[in-house]
Amino acid sequence: MKTEQTPVLIVGGGLTGLSAAVFLAHHGVSALLVERHTDTSTHPKARAINPRTMELYRAVGMEERVRAGRSPISGNTDLVHVETLAGTERMRMPNASPDDIGRISPAQWTLIDQNQLEPILRARAVEAGADVRFHTRVDALEEDTDGVLARVTDLSTGTTSQIRARYVIAADGSRSPLREMLGIGTHGRGTITNLVSFFFEADLDEVLRGRKLVAAYVNNPEVRGTIIPLDNDRRWVINVSFFPDQGQGPEDFTEERCTALVRAAVGVPDLQLKIESVDMPAWDISARVADSFATRRVFVAGDAAHVMPPTGAFGASTGIQDVYNLAWKLALVLSGTAGPALLESYDAERRPVAEETVRQSMLRFAVREGKEYHEVAKELLGETTMTFGYCYPSGAFAREEGAPGVLVEDPGHPSGAPGTRAPHLVLDGPDGPLPVSDLFADGFTLLVDAAAGPWPKAVEQEAGALGVTLRTVHVGPGHRHTDRDGEFRQRYGLMPGGAVLVRPDGFVGWRATTGRSGAVDRAAVEALRALLDRD
């Protein structure tokens, strides 16, 4: 049997798997991706990419390409909870304005349908050197101390072969066959509701009353579901819940039944409409998290690692952020620059974030299902906090003595502590304004206050000896990069001469609040070596 070799095998060609291929290629790792379906998704599914994820696409040079493929509804802002679309609104969940987001990020929300984004990612992955194979199924997986052996079948020919990989990323969806093969269980509420989706055409201008819908969550005695615009004109999709325990099934959704449900959801009994199709497969909204995100050499990501209600639009972005966290770590371990313990931080960092994100999605979904906002408000975290403020309580960073292992912080008032996203800051550089996050994508970055002495040179030398790409950026008067009104010190929690080491994923790995001690260079080097598992 033919056996191929690859550094990383990615199983799953959805948003998470294709993003993994792009991110690995950015770090110089050629991956082989297999996907059992014949092509990318034909259904809109996920429709929004949050600003943190857009930062990641920006980091690999894809921000404009992704934005160019955005949905016709990309200018829409209204997310409403209603009994019917024609009736009064129950409520609107609070959401951040572009100005709010602009104060903490160089990126914004991008509304782009999954069936538009996946081909963009696939094309970019192939351009960057990834081997992408659709209509290919993984039948078996066997780990050993040196790698993973996968048996795969080309479904177009029936040919079976083997792929030998150093590491595997399992991004094969919520029912993940690979997770099952590995014996990794899940926990959580499980299936919350079963749904069918169908497309319809109708003129809803009168009931919209000028609203530019992203989605309308409908809840009344006749229908529970979501109405979503497709073209901002006459085409819509509605997702409708059904209840198997009441004897209901997808076969009940005849054209006549679908017509009645649309009318009940819109609130116009004689609405003129055309049902486009009633043959789409049923699906479900679930809440589950994998018990572990990793074995020795297989890493579970995206829906294979966590599934959550779509309320909040966290699901796709959380999966993409999983593999961004993982890609730079795999690249350093594969090159021999880092030891294998660096990869252990993937589960330690990403699983707690997934747990909280699922919880927050569930709180938002409870409002969709009829719960009053005030009943969940105390536990509900704001959009920007969940998008930018999640923290890693433990992982590949030098945790400061006495620091609490918090899971979230307010990104508008960041701490700058290790384990948090490096705070947004616009520097004045030689070529004009520069978001500080634009410095992070290609390696480690040492941000140093202008008052620091010559000690960063020693860190640069040690990083070079370790084979690490490290850029030192002095911030302040007399240097190429200056900040405005001392924002660098303030936002990163520094005193004169302080510094932070930022990881390639934009998270703070180490901090010295002041650089006046002669031991700062040794502390920085020790932190870098520990992070890389090079002790």
Side-chain angles (χ1 to χ4, degrees), residues 139-191:
D139 299 314
L141 206 68
E142 183 179 339
E143 283 187 87
D144 56 41
T145 55
D146 298 320
V148 185
L149 186 65
R151 189 175 75 248
V152 302
T153 299
D154 182 334
L155 296 174
S156 61
T157 65
T159 304
T160 299
S161 62
Q162 295 184 141
I163 299 171
R164 179 76 176 172
R166 295 274 303 279
Y167 295 98
V168 172
I169 298 175
D172 54 338
S174 60
R175 293 178 173 82
S176 182
L178 260 66
R179 190 187 63 225
E180 294 292 325
M181 292 178 196
L182 296 166
I184 297 175
T186 62
H187 59 275
R189 179 171 167 180
T191 300

XYZ file of all heavy atoms in Angstrom, residues 139-191:
390
model
N -10.090 6.549 7.229
C -10.755 5.347 7.727
C -10.177 4.853 9.048
O -10.879 4.194 9.821
C -10.643 4.218 6.694
C -11.317 4.580 5.385
O -12.456 5.089 5.427
O -10.699 4.369 4.319
N -8.919 5.143 9.293
C -8.283 4.665 10.523
C -7.110 5.568 10.858
O -6.515 6.215 9.975
C -7.811 3.219 10.364
N -6.777 5.592 12.139
C -5.700 6.448 12.630
C -4.952 5.690 13.706
O -5.563 5.104 14.607
C -6.305 7.735 13.210
C -5.451 8.999 13.227
C -5.213 9.473 11.800
C -6.178 10.087 14.018
N -3.629 5.689 13.600
C -2.811 4.974 14.591
C -1.636 5.849 14.996
O -0.829 6.249 14.166
C -2.314 3.654 13.981
C -1.513 2.800 14.961
C -1.055 1.490 14.329
O -1.673 1.071 13.325
O -0.071 0.921 14.835
N -1.563 6.138 16.291
C -0.474 6.953 16.829
C 0.655 6.067 17.343
O 0.414 4.983 17.867
C -0.960 7.793 18.018
C -1.765 8.997 17.685
C -2.039 9.824 18.935
O -1.198 10.679 19.273
O -3.085 9.600 19.571
N 1.886 6.558 17.230
C 3.006 5.947 17.920
C 3.913 7.060 18.418
O 3.568 8.236 18.355
C 3.747 4.946 17.019
C 4.230 5.580 15.716
O 4.719 6.736 15.749
O 4.143 4.925 14.664
N 5.070 6.729 18.912
C 5.933 7.746 19.525
C 6.481 8.738 18.510
O 6.857 9.854 18.883
C 7.103 7.079 20.259
O 7.809 6.225 19.342
C 6.591 6.247 21.436
N 6.538 8.348 17.241
C 7.162 9.211 16.233
C 6.172 9.931 15.321
O 6.570 10.816 14.572
C 8.113 8.380 15.356
C 9.241 7.775 16.173
O 9.757 8.471 17.062
O 9.571 6.601 15.926
N 4.917 9.533 15.344
C 3.978 10.167 14.440
C 2.640 9.466 14.420
O 2.264 8.746 15.357
N 1.912 9.687 13.332
C 0.563 9.144 13.169
C 0.456 8.542 11.775
O 0.895 9.142 10.788
C -0.502 10.249 13.331
C -1.894 9.652 13.275
C -0.298 11.017 14.634
N -0.127 7.358 11.714
C -0.366 6.698 10.429
C -1.870 6.709 10.171
O -2.654 6.191 10.982
C 0.151 5.263 10.446
C 0.080 4.509 9.106
C 1.005 5.150 8.082
C 0.436 3.036 9.307
N -2.269 7.318 9.068
C -3.680 7.389 8.705
C -3.928 6.559 7.457
O -3.154 6.626 6.496
C -4.086 8.838 8.445
N -4.990 5.768 7.478
C -5.417 5.055 6.278
C -6.570 5.838 5.656
O -7.551 6.160 6.331
C -5.862 3.637 6.607
C -6.115 2.789 5.344
C -6.438 1.349 5.655
N -7.792 1.184 6.161
C -8.104 0.835 7.386
N -7.135 0.630 8.284
N -9.354 0.701 7.767
N -6.428 6.175 4.386
C -7.413 7.037 3.727
C -7.911 6.375 2.445
O -7.227 5.546 1.842
C -6.825 8.432 3.408
C -6.322 9.109 4.667
C -5.720 8.340 2.359
N -9.111 6.785 2.042
C -9.709 6.296 0.803
C -10.069 7.471 -0.088
O -10.740 8.418 0.355
C -10.979 5.469 1.084
O -10.636 4.331 1.880
C -11.626 5.005 -0.208
N -9.606 7.419 -1.337
C -10.033 8.377 -2.356
C -11.420 7.935 -2.821
O -11.569 6.919 -3.492
C -9.034 8.370 -3.523
C -9.383 9.369 -4.617
O -10.578 9.706 -4.753
O -8.473 9.801 -5.349
N -12.442 8.680 -2.423
C -13.816 8.252 -2.674
C -14.212 8.330 -4.142
O -15.204 7.728 -4.553
C -14.777 9.087 -1.827
C -14.618 8.904 -0.304
C -15.504 9.878 0.444
C -14.932 7.475 0.105
N -13.452 9.048 -4.939
C -13.768 9.111 -6.373
C -13.280 7.877 -7.115
O -13.823 7.515 -8.168
C -13.166 10.368 -6.993
O -11.757 10.358 -6.870
N -12.256 7.210 -6.575
C -11.703 6.026 -7.240
C -11.803 4.761 -6.399
O -11.656 3.656 -6.926
C -10.215 6.256 -7.575
O -9.473 6.384 -6.352
C -10.035 7.507 -8.427
N -12.012 4.911 -5.096
C -12.016 3.765 -4.200
C -10.628 3.312 -3.782
O -10.477 2.328 -3.051
N -9.595 4.030 -4.208
C -8.214 3.655 -3.904
C -7.883 3.961 -2.443
O -8.170 5.051 -1.941
C -7.234 4.415 -4.806
O -7.567 4.169 -6.169
C -5.797 3.976 -4.529
N -7.257 3.004 -1.779
C -6.850 3.169 -0.382
C -5.347 3.381 -0.307
O -4.572 2.734 -1.024
C -7.240 1.929 0.451
O -8.656 1.772 0.420
C -6.811 2.085 1.902
N -4.927 4.290 0.558
C -3.501 4.543 0.747
C -3.261 4.946 2.195
O -4.204 5.023 2.994
C -3.011 5.640 -0.204
O -3.684 6.859 0.056
N -1.998 5.176 2.519
C -1.629 5.570 3.870
C -0.900 6.905 3.852
O -0.177 7.219 2.897
C -0.740 4.509 4.524
C -1.432 3.187 4.738
C -0.558 2.193 5.474
O -1.031 1.449 6.307
N 0.711 2.164 5.170
N -1.100 7.679 4.909
C -0.394 8.944 5.078
C 0.293 8.915 6.432
O -0.349 8.676 7.455
C -1.349 10.146 5.002
C -2.043 10.210 3.630
C -0.597 11.446 5.275
C -3.155 11.229 3.567
N 1.595 9.141 6.393
C 2.379 9.193 7.625
C 2.627 10.660 7.956
O 3.206 11.406 7.150
C 3.713 8.465 7.432
C 4.632 8.485 8.642
C 4.172 7.519 9.690
N 5.104 7.474 10.826
C 4.854 6.828 11.952
N 3.729 6.144 12.091
N 5.728 6.835 12.941
N 2.162 11.102 9.121
C 2.293 12.501 9.515
C 2.971 12.607 10.873
O 2.801 11.730 11.735
C 0.924 13.168 9.577
N 3.714 13.685 11.058
C 4.271 13.940 12.382
C 3.150 14.309 13.362
O 3.149 13.882 14.511
C 5.295 15.079 12.309
C 6.545 14.778 11.489
C 7.614 14.086 12.315
N 7.994 14.866 13.481
C 8.850 15.907 13.487
N 9.407 16.293 12.334
N 9.165 16.531 14.605
N 2.202 15.108 12.861
C 1.089 15.540 13.699
C -0.180 15.600 12.851
O -0.122 15.733 11.620
C 1.359 16.915 14.311
C 2.526 16.915 15.277
C 3.792 17.329 14.862
C 2.359 16.481 16.585
C 4.867 17.315 15.733
C 3.436 16.458 17.468
C 4.680 16.877 17.039
O 5.748 16.852 17.902
N -1.324 15.525 13.530
C -2.619 15.570 12.869
C -3.495 16.612 13.554
O -3.516 16.713 14.786
C -3.321 14.192 12.910
C -4.762 14.297 12.382
C -2.544 13.166 12.107
N -4.211 17.393 12.740
C -5.243 18.300 13.249
C -6.591 17.725 12.848
O -6.878 17.570 11.656
C -5.082 19.720 12.688
C -3.739 20.323 13.120
C -6.232 20.611 13.154
C -3.450 21.691 12.497
N -7.408 17.382 13.838
C -8.747 16.849 13.585
C -9.733 18.006 13.590
O -10.108 18.519 14.641
C -9.126 15.825 14.647
N -10.116 18.436 12.395
C -11.078 19.532 12.236
C -12.253 19.023 11.410
O -12.718 19.677 10.481
C -10.413 20.726 11.564
N -12.707 17.827 11.768
C -13.675 17.102 10.942
C -15.103 17.207 11.454
O -15.914 16.296 11.253
C -13.253 15.643 10.780
C -13.006 14.926 12.105
O -12.747 15.602 13.116
O -13.075 13.685 12.120
N -15.436 18.308 12.106
C -16.824 18.609 12.386
C -17.350 18.116 13.713
O -16.678 17.411 14.464
N -18.587 18.491 13.995
C -19.161 18.244 15.320
C -19.306 16.764 15.644
O -19.252 16.385 16.820
C -20.527 18.934 15.417
O -21.418 18.438 14.439
N -19.485 15.930 14.630
C -19.610 14.480 14.878
C -18.277 13.761 14.706
O -18.231 12.538 14.781
C -20.681 13.887 13.963
C -22.083 14.384 14.298
C -23.138 13.814 13.356
N -24.484 14.147 13.779
C -25.093 15.302 13.533
N -24.449 16.238 12.833
N -26.304 15.534 13.967
N -17.238 14.492 14.490
C -15.841 14.078 14.367
C -15.552 12.576 14.472
O -15.376 12.031 15.553
C -15.011 14.792 15.427
O -13.644 14.445 15.303
N -15.451 11.886 13.339
C -15.026 10.489 13.386
C -13.644 10.317 14.028
O -13.408 9.323 14.724
C -15.002 10.077 11.911
C -15.986 10.996 11.246
C -15.841 12.293 11.971
N -12.748 11.290 13.808
C -11.419 11.157 14.398
C -11.473 11.236 15.919
O -10.769 10.489 16.606
C -10.468 12.241 13.850
C -9.541 11.755 12.734
C -10.349 11.402 11.501
C -8.500 12.801 12.408
N -12.286 12.134 16.436
C -12.414 12.220 17.892
C -12.916 10.891 18.446
O -12.465 10.428 19.501
C -13.365 13.361 18.269
C -13.379 13.703 19.754
C -14.463 14.726 20.077
N -15.783 14.187 19.790
C -16.747 14.833 19.151
N -16.544 16.061 18.712
N -17.917 14.260 18.931
N -13.847 10.283 17.723
C -14.356 8.980 18.145
C -13.260 7.915 18.088
O -13.118 7.094 18.991
C -15.534 8.571 17.249
C -16.762 9.451 17.391
C -17.421 9.302 18.742
O -17.426 8.190 19.292
O -17.925 10.319 19.263
N -12.471 7.920 16.995
C -11.367 6.959 16.883
C -10.383 7.092 18.033
O -9.819 6.104 18.503
C -10.619 7.170 15.566
C -11.388 6.819 14.313
S -10.376 7.198 12.839
C -11.609 7.174 11.548
N -10.164 8.310 18.474
C -9.200 8.569 19.536
C -9.768 8.291 20.918
O -9.030 8.310 21.909
C -8.731 10.030 19.464
C -7.968 10.416 18.196
C -7.875 11.935 18.088
C -6.583 9.789 18.191
N -11.065 8.050 21.007
C -11.690 7.771 22.292
C -11.856 8.995 23.173
O -11.942 8.871 24.399
N -11.907 10.180 22.564
C -12.093 11.409 23.328
C -13.584 11.673 23.473
O -14.303 11.799 22.481
C -11.413 12.606 22.641
C -9.905 12.392 22.566
C -11.733 13.907 23.369
C -9.161 13.467 21.786
N -14.046 11.750 24.710
C -15.453 12.002 24.970
C -15.776 13.480 24.931
O -14.910 14.335 24.727
N -17.042 13.785 25.133
C -17.488 15.179 25.193
C -18.386 15.342 26.415
O -18.910 14.370 26.965
C -18.272 15.598 23.929
O -19.455 14.799 23.826
C -17.432 15.433 22.682
N -18.562 16.588 26.819
C -19.477 16.892 27.914
C -20.246 18.158 27.581
O -19.832 18.948 26.739
C -18.709 17.051 29.232
C -17.673 18.135 29.200
N -16.390 17.923 28.724
C -17.729 19.441 29.559
C -15.703 19.054 28.808
N -16.491 19.995 29.306
N -21.360 18.326 28.260
C -22.207 19.483 27.987
C -23.642 19.055 27.805
O -23.987 17.868 27.928
N -24.471 19.997 27.497
C -25.912 19.721 27.408
C -26.252 18.818 26.243
O -27.232 18.077 26.281
C -26.675 21.040 27.292
C -28.163 20.847 27.177
C -28.922 22.152 27.278
N -30.300 21.979 26.862
C -31.205 22.944 26.843
N -30.848 24.164 27.234
N -32.432 22.721 26.441
N -25.477 18.832 25.198
C -25.781 18.035 24.019
C -26.756 18.749 23.109
O -26.764 19.970 23.024
N -27.609 17.978 22.454
C -28.547 18.569 21.498
C -29.594 19.406 22.221
O -30.254 18.934 23.145
C -29.229 17.482 20.664
O -28.229 16.750 19.946
C -30.202 18.089 19.666
